């Protein structure tokens, strides 16, 4: 009986040891399996989020360096860091600005060619009419025709160049002379400066910037009022900026219309197509777009208005002198398809 019991205990011990061996081996296999799964997951992570993004961006950037502007470089969700995202976003903005500038210059060249069909014919005809008016003793008509001739000459020539503030103010005076004849001197133009107009007048700004703002003030602010009105141009400077206000004492606009107009100016680079009935028409967005193209996105128009009291269009320019022109102006023979 004792011998059988001992054999049974021995057998149990052997089986128990065998099971323990199996469990240890299974534990080792389980640990090895977990390690392999973890390694596979880690390698997959490296492939999906490091290697593949790197290869994708590398291929896109190589195409970009070879002159192919692919939308994938801007729409790709891969980014090494927040700084790389900002760099790509800035590059897209610069490319858009370059294309907008190219379009603007081409449009300006087209308009210049369209308007310059035969400018000498126009000038000679106006000069002949002016001579007849003087011969008939109609000095006011002669003065208006002279202003009209000067106005066209300024508008048609060098449409994509900069002009001095003095030249812009002279252009406004010619335009206002024409409007005074139309409105029978019911309009008044005031020019106010903080400082010397001689010094301020030497600064440069995009050509044909102020006249559309004055026209907008007359058309939207004063004409519908049906009585005398005043357009005031106020000029001031800071250490780095030239600030011009074009103000009228006309009908103004309500807050909703004002907010919608300023939103259009803030959100549109090329101004877009105006909708019927919109205050400001196409003039303000176009002027704002040209300023931002030539001077930078930090500059342009901001409109302030009180219904029944008038409107103030504030224009912010950088202080540009003669030395700055070459850095800002686009040469007429510039090759847009050249490298760089």
């Amino acid at each position: 009986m004792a011998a059988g019991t001992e054999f049974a205990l021995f057998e149990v011990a052997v089986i128990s040891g065998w099971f323990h061996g199996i469990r240890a081996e299974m534990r080792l296999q389980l640990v090895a399996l977990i390690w392999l799964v973890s390694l596979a997951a880690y390698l997959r992570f490296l492939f999906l989020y490091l290697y593949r993004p790197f290869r994708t961006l590398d291929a896109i950037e190589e195409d970009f360096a070879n002159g192919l502007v692919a939308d994938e470089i801007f729409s790709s969700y891969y980014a090494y860091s927040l700084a790389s995202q900002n760099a790509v976003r800035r590059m897209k903005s610069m490319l858009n600005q370059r294309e907008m500038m190219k379009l603007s210059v081409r449009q300006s060249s087209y308009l210049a060619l369209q308007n310059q069909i035969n400018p000498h014919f126009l000038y000679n005809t106006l000069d002949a009419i002016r001579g007849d008016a003087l011969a008939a003793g109609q000095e006011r008509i002669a003065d208006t025709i002279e202003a009209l001739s000067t106005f066209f000459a300024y508008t048609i020539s060098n449409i994509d160049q900069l002009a001095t503030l003095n030249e812009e103010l002279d252009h406004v005076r010619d335009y206002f002379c024409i409007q005074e004849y139309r409105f029978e001197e019911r309009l008044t133009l005031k020019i106010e400066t903080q400082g010397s107009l001689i010094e301020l007048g030497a600064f440069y700004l995009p050509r044909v910037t102020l006249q559309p703002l004055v026209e907008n003030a007359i058309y939207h602010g004063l004409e519908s009022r049906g009585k005398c009105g005043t357009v005031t141009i106020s000029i001031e400077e800071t250490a780095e900026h030239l600030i011009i206000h074009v103000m009228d004492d006309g009908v103004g606009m309500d807050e909703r219309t004002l907010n919608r107009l300023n939103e259009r100016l803030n959100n549109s680079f090329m101004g877009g197509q105006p909708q019927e009935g919109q205050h400001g028409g196409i003039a303000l967005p176009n002027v704002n777009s040209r300023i931002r193209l030539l001077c930078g996105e930090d500059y342009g128009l901001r409109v302030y208005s009180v219904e029944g009291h008038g409107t103030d269009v504030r224009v912010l320019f950088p202080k540009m002198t003669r030395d700055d022109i070459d850095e800002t102006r686009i040469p007429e023979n510039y090759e847009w398809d050249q490298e760089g």
Side-chain angles (χ1 to χ4, degrees):
M1 189 72 178
T5 302
E6 290 179 1
F7 177 78
L9 291 176
F10 174 77
E11 187 177 44
V12 169
V14 170
I15 295 174
S16 178
W18 180 72
F19 273 115
H20 281 296
I22 292 177
R23 288 175 182 175
E25 185 176 352
M26 290 179 61
R27 283 197 297 267
L28 290 175
Q29 291 177 349
L30 182 61
V31 170
L33 180 62
I34 293 176
W35 186 86
L36 289 175
V37 170
S38 300
L39 179 61
Y42 178 70
L43 292 176
R44 178 178 174 79
F45 172 83
L46 292 179
F47 176 78
L48 291 178
Y49 296 100
L50 289 179
Y51 179 77
R52 190 167 71 176
F54 172 79
R55 294 298 302 166
T56 301
L57 285 178
D58 185 63
I60 294 174
E61 290 171 356
E62 183 177 356
D63 290 340
F64 183 81
N66 291 329
L68 299 177
V69 181
D71 291 337
E72 287 83 356
I73 194 172
F74 305 124
S75 60
S76 174
Y77 57 88
Y78 300 130
Y80 299 124
S81 63
L82 180 61
S84 68
Q85 282 184 317
N86 293 335
V88 171
R89 193 177 297 116
R90 177 59 179 166
M91 183 166 55
K92 181 179 181 181
S93 174
M94 292 174 65
L95 287 173
N96 287 341
Q97 185 173 356
R98 175 183 172 129
E99 291 301 316
M100 291 295 187
M101 182 76 81
K102 178 180 178 181
L103 178 62
S104 177
V105 172
R106 285 181 174 174
Q107 182 184 33
S108 297
S109 300
Y110 170 77
L111 291 175
L113 290 174
Q114 187 180 48
N115 290 331
Q116 289 176 350
I117 297 173
N118 195 340
H120 294 292
F121 170 78
L122 174 64
Y123 302 149
N124 292 337
T125 302
L126 290 174
D127 189 60
I129 296 173
R130 178 176 178 273
D132 291 341
L134 287 174
Q138 299 292 333
E139 295 185 2
R140 184 184 177 194
I141 295 178
D143 291 341
T144 303
I145 293 175
E146 183 180 10
L148 182 62
S149 177
T150 307
F151 174 84
F152 281 133
Y154 184 86
T155 304
I156 291 174
S157 63
N158 297 324
I159 194 169
D160 62 336
Q161 300 298 319
L162 301 172
T164 65
L165 176 58
N166 277 332
E167 291 173 332
E168 281 290 287
L169 292 177
D170 287 340
H171 184 54
V172 167
R173 294 186 183 100
D174 289 330
Y175 173 77
F176 216 83
C177 177
I178 300 169
Q179 291 292 4
E180 283 179 327
Y181 184 83
R182 175 191 171 199
F183 286 94
E184 300 179 350
E185 298 184 351
R186 289 187 289 115
L187 300 177
T188 302
L189 175 66
K190 294 182 179 179
I191 299 177
E192 303 173 348
T193 63
Q194 294 183 2
S196 170
L197 183 57
I198 297 178
E199 295 180 0
L200 293 175
F203 290 116
Y204 282 79
L205 56 151
R207 182 181 291 268
V208 193
T209 294
L210 298 184
Q211 179 271 324
L213 304 184
V214 173
E215 180 178 359
N216 185 79
I218 295 174
Y219 181 78
H220 291 285
L222 301 178
E223 184 174 6
S224 60
R225 196 173 66 164
K227 58 181 180 179
C228 296
T230 301
V231 176
T232 303
I233 300 178
S234 175
I235 307 165
E236 58 186 273
E237 66 172 324
T238 64
E240 298 180 352
H241 300 130
L242 183 66
I243 305 171
I244 300 178
H245 295 263
V246 178
M247 301 172 285
D248 67 75
D249 55 1
V251 297
M253 67 187 86
D254 59 75
E255 184 176 356
R256 180 181 178 183
T257 303
L258 176 65
N259 291 336
R260 187 164 61 245
L261 175 58
N262 279 318
E263 184 177 357
R264 288 177 61 208
L265 295 175
N266 289 335
N267 295 338
S268 61
F269 200 70
M270 288 299 293
Q273 295 295 327
Q275 300 175 1
E276 290 293 329
Q278 283 187 325
H279 193 287
I282 196 172
L284 297 188
N286 274 357
V287 171
N288 188 59
S289 296
R290 293 186 68 239
I291 294 173
R292 295 178 69 183
L293 281 169
L294 292 171
C295 304
E297 296 186 16
D298 294 331
Y299 302 98
L301 307 184
R302 181 73 182 178
V303 182
Y304 305 88
S305 185
V306 177
E307 189 172 13
H309 291 81
T311 300
D312 174 9
V313 180
R314 175 182 178 270
V315 195
L316 180 66
F317 299 100
K319 290 173 69 172
M320 293 189 292
T321 63
R322 182 72 181 179
D323 295 335
D324 301 320
I325 295 178
D326 292 336
E327 299 178 7
T328 307
R329 179 170 49 191
I330 300 177
E332 295 179 358
N333 60 348
Y334 184 80
E335 295 293 337
W336 284 102
D337 294 330
Q338 66 186 350
E339 289 293 329

